[in-house]
Amino acid sequence: MVFEYILKEKGMDPDKDMSIDRSIDFGSTAAAFSGGQGDFSVEFEPSATALEKEGAGYVVASCGVESGYVPYTAYSAKESYMKENPEVIQGFTNALQKGMDYVNAHTPEEIAGVIQPQFKESDLETITTIVKRYQEQDTWKENLIFEKESFELLEDILDSAGELEESVSYQELVNTDFAEKAADE
């Protein structure tokens, strides 16, 4: 959806100006591309870097850079749970903020060394390459605050893809209190 949104924003029609094979399982797109299917592929990491290392392709652009801050990861909780367990929500949010602080204050090599045990399928060099790319692209924000501009961008992307039946008010759906408190600590 993000890729097609970017194409539309650049004046292209994904259905008329090119042929996009949407039938390939997302986990299989890199293999299909390296096997000769298609002229381009949209990949998450570590698939993009693996294609480069294999000499099967090159990263030519970042959907994240081209689209702006799209909230790919968000955590949801019922309002009742947040009211009954604010210390759990705040503790969780504080821990995530500490992670953001860490990646924004350390080198790709340091970060890769810390996170490597979570990515056993990738070697340290690959993880370092990915982290360096993310830092160069300004992938990680300084805080966890889900800003209204990003919310509206997500709505635009969903609407453009025909996946949004109706808009919801940012104020009604998003609570930034815990993220704001974590950012201030």
Side-chain angles (χ1 to χ4, degrees), residues 118-136:
Q118 302 302 311
F119 300 96
K120 292 178 178 25
E121 72 283 355
S122 298
D123 61 47
L124 185 60
E125 179 185 346
T126 298
I127 296 169
T128 303
T129 298
I130 293 166
V131 171
K132 183 177 182 186
R133 181 175 287 147
Y134 282 2
Q135 282 188 337
E136 289 171 351

Side-chain angles (χ1 to χ4, degrees), residues 48-175:
T49 298
L51 286 170
E52 282 188 327
K53 286 181 81 174
E54 295 167 11
Y58 302 95
V59 174
V60 296
S62 162
C63 289
V65 169
E66 294 299 321
S67 65
Y69 278 115
V70 177
Y72 278 96
T73 304
Y75 297 95
S76 302
K78 291 183 178 181
E79 190 173 0
S80 59
Y81 184 86
M82 292 180 359
K83 286 181 181 177
E84 293 168 15
N85 302 283
E87 68 289 342
V88 172
I89 299 294
Q90 192 63 62
F92 180 71
T93 307
N94 290 351
L96 291 172
Q97 182 63 56
K98 285 181 183 179
M100 296 303 297
D101 294 343
Y102 185 88
V103 298
N104 284 304
H106 288 81
T107 67
E109 294 79 12
E110 292 169 321
I111 297 164
V114 169
I115 67 174
Q116 185 181 22
Q118 302 302 311
F119 300 96
K120 292 178 178 25
E121 72 283 355
S122 298
D123 61 47
L124 185 60
E125 179 185 346
T126 298
I127 296 169
T128 303
T129 298
I130 293 166
V131 171
K132 183 177 182 186
R133 181 175 287 147
Y134 282 2
Q135 282 188 337
E136 289 171 351
Q137 294 173 169
D138 193 28
T139 298
W140 295 306
K141 292 177 56 192
E142 290 185 12
N143 61 58
L144 303 170
I145 299 168
F146 188 176
E147 295 162 352
K148 185 174 183 181
E149 181 180 278
S150 291
F151 178 83
E152 291 171 348
L153 174 59
L154 179 59
E155 278 191 322
D156 289 346
I157 291 167
L158 293 169
D159 185 52
S160 175
E163 297 294 330
L164 187 65
E165 291 182 21
E166 63 182 82
S167 294
V168 179
S169 162
Y170 170 82
Q171 291 79 11
E172 184 180 329
L173 192 62
V174 178
N175 178 334

Side-chain angles (χ1 to χ4, degrees), residues 26-37:
F26 191 75
S28 302
T29 56
F33 178 74
S34 65
Q37 190 167 346

